[in-house]
């Protein structure tokens, strides 16, 4: 059995990209910080309160030390009252101030972050859905979804937590070192000589252990994928008698997981031993040195205890900066990925539903004049070459030809998903560029072969063709599309939820919902792209009747493989390798014995 690739949905989430912090990257992300501007008053207030709460936090080791020294009868801190009661009253007063300040600091920071992120999400989403089709042809949906979810979540975490924590830890680090120096310069120098190298070593060793943990997670995810795929394809496994192969594959993977985990445990043991001996040894050494100073009456016991608490603040702050810095790097990388989308040139479509009103009416005349086109992702391959034809208002024009001849590309050009490299597409004798995209797409409808329904109700899916449609208009459109009967057969009727992509409906039912949607839109030009090719005979009959109703009194461009569906077309255009090789009515094209249409017809109908 062929070896299968790891299913990315089961793998641990890939780490977000990191970016170097320099003037260029900081200038880029400053554009995202502009989203904070409408909420700058609260943001500044939050920063002030954050600074105040951090400063107030530095007072508590002094209170603890002061209480100890006062209990012994010594008064070492001139900034504190001389009694235990006075120190306690001041400490609880400061505690109340810190609680008050901390509440509003957190509230305002989160408020600013959530509102500004909501604005960024809104603008990013709108930019995404207004980008040209070529953008989506070069990217995966999962990647784009990650920009909205993972990238913006990383920015959100940075705005709500990381920036605040960096400021707080900076205050604690600087304030803690200053306080230690005030208490004892000798102890402060000793601590700053011993502690930083040990913390740096511990940080790099910790990163190495986390890397081993990620390797174990990757292997475990791979083994879970083997289980999932094997159980999903259990019939194939049994049919090919590959139980032993799958068991061996899974066993090897599990052994790899165990080996990596054991290796990780060995290094974690070394790490713990290092922490116990070196870091705690350094703390014991500093405290021992402090005790010597106490015995020489250079320091009081309360001052030593205060120093130890400040040392904890400083050590914790030093240890937190690498992770905080890494989070900022991730946020900068995520910001660059989001800005890539915001910097893309989008289509000129309306952002407001109220502006989504037709300004220039199209009667239905359509013409291609010397149109040439190649997809931007494949510029070397010309898909359409010198295409010219006219479709007068109200006529039915069929486009036929072998697969890959450019039929669906012509539909995409009519909808202005892409624009021709040369030549002109005109509506009512005017170039498409004279119309807004909103006007063209409001007056052109497409019924594709593979209908996509949204996960809401039948009523909502039909109303997608006209968002302000009344219930009567929706029902009338469904009746004309031969859909009303099957809709009413459901217990919930028009409020039936169709499921993701319409999975609860059959292919014919989805097609008739799409036809009802198009009828409600009432377009001047209709495109039918293989609308009945994947249906059974009964469904095709019902859908064909609905299509006949839909095509009445409007220009219809019918793309078809089944030639039986286009015999009644007013004009048939035959494409081959991106060129028009024939055009005419069904009978005219059949009369050409050397024609491609007659050949295709002979393959399908065995016509001599």
């Amino acid at each position: 059995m062929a070896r299968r690739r790891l299913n990315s949905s089961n793998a641990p989430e890939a780490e977000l990209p990191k970016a170097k912090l320099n003037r260029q990257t900081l200038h880029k992300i400053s554009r995202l910080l502009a989203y904070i501007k409408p909420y700058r008053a609260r943001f500044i207030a939050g920063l002030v309160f954050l600074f105040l709460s951090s400063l107030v936090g530095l007072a508590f080791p002094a209170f603890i030390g002061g209480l100890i020294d006062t209990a012994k009868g010594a008064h070492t801190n001139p900034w504190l009252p001389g009694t235990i009661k006075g120190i306690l009253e001041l400490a609880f007063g400061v505690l109340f101030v810190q609680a008050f300040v901390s509440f509003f600091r957190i509230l305002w920071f989160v408020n600013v972050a959530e509102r500004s992120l909501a604005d960024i999400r809104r603008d990013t989403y709108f930019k995404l859905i207004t980008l040209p089709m070529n953008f989506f042809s070069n990217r995966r949906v999962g990647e784009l979804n990650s920009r909205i979810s993972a990238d913006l979540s990383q920015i959100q975490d940075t705005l709500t937590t990381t920036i605040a924590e960096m400021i707080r830890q900076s205050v604690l680090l600087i304030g803690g070192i200053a306080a230690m120096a005030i208490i004892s310069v000798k102890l402060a120098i000793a601590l700053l000589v011993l502690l930083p190298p040990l913390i740096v070593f511990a940080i790099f060793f910790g990163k190495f252990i986390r890397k081993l943990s990620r390797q174990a997670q990757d292997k475990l995810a791979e083994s879970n994928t083997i289980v999932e795929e094997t159980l999903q394809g259990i019939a194939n496994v049994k049919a090919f008698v590959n139980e032993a192969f799958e068991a061996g594959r899974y066993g090897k993977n599990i052994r790899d997981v165990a080996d990596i985990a054991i290796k990780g445990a060995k290094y974690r043991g070394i790490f713990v031993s290092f922490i116990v001996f070196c870091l705690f040894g350094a703390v014991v050494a500093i405290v021992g040195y402090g005790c010597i100073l106490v015995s020489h009456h250079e320091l009081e016991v309360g001052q030593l205890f205060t120093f130890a608490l400040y040392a904890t603040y400083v050590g914790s702050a030093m240890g937190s900066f690498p992770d905080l810095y890494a989070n900022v790097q991730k946020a900068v990388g995520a910001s660059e990925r989001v800005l890539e989308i915001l910097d893309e040139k989008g289509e000129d479509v309306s952002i407001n539903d109220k502006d989504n009103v037709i300004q220039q009416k199209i009667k239905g005349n359509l013409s291609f004049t010397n149109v040439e086109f190649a997809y931007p992702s494949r510029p070397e391959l010309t898909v359409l070459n010198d295409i010219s034809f006219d479709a007068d208002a109200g006529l039915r024009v069929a486009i036929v030809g072998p697969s890959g001849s450019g039929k669906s590309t012509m539909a995409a050009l009519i909808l202005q998903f892409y624009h021709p490299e040369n030549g002109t597409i005109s509506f009512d004798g005017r170039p498409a560029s004279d119309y807004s995209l909103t006007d063209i797409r409001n007056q052109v409808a497409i019924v594709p072969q593979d209908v996509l329904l949204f996960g809401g109700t039948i009523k909502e899916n039909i109303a997608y063709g006209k968002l302000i449609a009344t219930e009567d208009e929706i029902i009338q459109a469904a009746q004309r599309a031969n859909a009303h009967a099957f809709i009413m057969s459901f217990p919930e009727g028009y409020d039936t939820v169709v499921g993701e992509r319409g999975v609860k409906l059959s292919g014919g039912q989805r097609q008739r919902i799409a036809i009802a949607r198009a009828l409600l839109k009432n377009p001047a030009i209709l495109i039918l792209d293989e609308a009945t090719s994947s249906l059974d005979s009964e469904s095709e009959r019902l859908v064909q009747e609905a299509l006949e109703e839909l095509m009445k009194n409007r220009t219809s461009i019918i793309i078809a493989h089944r030639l039986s569906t286009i015999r009644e077309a007013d004009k048939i255009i035959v494409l081959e390798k991106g060129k028009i090789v024939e055009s005419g009515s069904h009978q005219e094209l059949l009369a050409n014995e050397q024609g491609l249409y007659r050949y295709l017809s002979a393959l399908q109908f065995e016509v001599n």
Side-chain angles (χ1 to χ4, degrees), residues 313-342:
Y313 280 20
V314 170
S316 175
M318 285 182 176
S320 67
F321 273 115
D323 281 341
L324 293 173
Y325 182 75
N327 286 337
V328 171
Q329 283 183 303
K330 289 179 183 178
V332 171
S335 300
E336 289 180 334
R337 282 157 55 91
V338 171
L339 286 169
E340 283 177 11
I341 293 177
L342 293 175

Side-chain angles (χ1 to χ4, degrees), residues 473-521:
E473 288 176 320
I474 293 171
I475 293 173
Q476 185 181 16
Q479 288 172 335
R480 293 176 63 193
N482 274 349
H484 181 72
F486 84 76
I487 293 173
M488 295 309 296
S489 69
F490 297 134
E492 295 87 4
Y494 282 84
D495 292 321
T496 300
V497 175
V498 301
E500 187 177 356
R501 298 178 64 91
V503 293
K504 293 184 179 180
L505 303 180
S506 70
Q509 289 171 336
R510 289 197 299 270
Q511 287 285 15
R512 282 176 276 168
I513 295 294
I515 292 168
R517 190 160 62 190
L519 280 165
L520 198 59
K521 186 176 183 179

